[in-house]
Amino acid sequence: MNIKFVVIGVAVIAALYFGTEKYWQHEFEEQERNILKNLAFTPEMLNASKGLPIKGDILNQYPNIFFYMSFTKDFPQGTEATIKPKLLENSQKLACGPFSKLSQQDNKYNDRAKAIISVIEKDNVVMTYIIKNRLGSVLMEHKQVLSQCPEFQILKTSIS
């Protein structure tokens, strides 16, 4: 009869140990999912575009997030072709940049990084940047699947 109590006790302790780990991983994933679902322009984003002839908006239809940027002034003739590559580079940095910051953090953020990796892969989060000129014509549209970012892949290999 004593062996039954010992076996039951060990089983309960094991269930609590592994169940707690699973519970917290689920909680971290839900936190990250809620952050992405409520993504909006931050004061830092607004300050970065302060003084520039740009206005922006975010349409968040999680897992598809659309960033709309519109120029409020006309470009000099012929400059649109030189601006497009820079806009493409900047939109990719905006989408993929946060992953490089995560991979540089301490090991105490590994649970958060694991949750982000899990959410990005499970939900297949996509960010689309649509940039328009003053008249509303699309200058550039860039669709970035976050799990395909090189920075995401680096983060994933550093955590695993």
Side-chain angles (χ1 to χ4, degrees):
M1 185 140 146
N2 288 336
I3 192 102
K4 288 180 184 178
F5 288 122
V6 171
V7 170
I8 290 172
V10 169
V12 167
I13 291 171
L16 288 173
Y17 175 76
F18 292 112
T20 302
E21 184 69 28
K22 194 75 170 161
Y23 170 79
W24 282 111
Q25 187 63 29
H26 175 74
E27 284 297 310
F28 287 141
E29 287 177 11
E30 285 304 310
Q31 286 175 357
E32 295 306 323
R33 196 170 277 120
N34 285 333
I35 288 170
L36 287 169
K37 285 180 181 179
N38 297 315
L39 191 63
F41 273 108
T42 62
E44 294 86 24
M45 290 176 170
L46 294 173
N47 285 338
S49 64
K50 192 175 186 179
L52 297 174
I54 298 174
K55 65 178 181 175
D57 195 16
I58 296 177
L59 174 62
N60 195 337
Q61 296 178 329
Y62 186 80
N64 298 311
I65 303 168
F66 298 91
F67 290 85
Y68 291 96
M69 303 297 284
S70 299
F71 287 96
T72 57
K73 292 184 180 177
D74 285 328
F75 293 115
Q77 196 151 13
T79 58
E80 284 187 18
T82 59
I83 291 175
K84 285 182 184 181
K86 196 67 168 167
L87 291 174
L88 180 63
E89 180 184 329
N90 287 342
S91 62
Q92 189 166 6
K93 282 182 184 176
L94 283 172
C96 300
F99 298 126
S100 62
K101 292 176 186 171
L102 276 173
S103 62
Q104 297 169 357
Q105 291 183 345
D106 295 338
N107 287 340
K108 66 181 180 180
Y109 295 103
N110 278 353
D111 288 336
R112 180 172 181 245
K114 286 178 185 177
I116 290 171
I117 290 168
S118 177
V119 167
I120 296 295
E121 288 182 332
K122 284 180 187 175
D123 296 354
N124 197 27
V125 180
V126 177
M127 289 188 174
T128 304
Y129 293 88
I130 301 171
I131 300 174
K132 298 180 179 185
N133 65 9
R134 185 184 68 83
L135 300 174
S137 299
V138 175
L139 290 174
M140 188 208 72
E141 184 171 335
H142 176 69
K143 186 176 187 176
Q144 180 67 52
V145 178
L146 295 184
S147 61
Q148 295 174 355
C149 288
E151 293 87 345
F152 179 80
Q153 297 302 325
I154 291 169
L155 175 66
K156 187 175 175 181
T157 56
S158 70
I159 296 300
S160 300

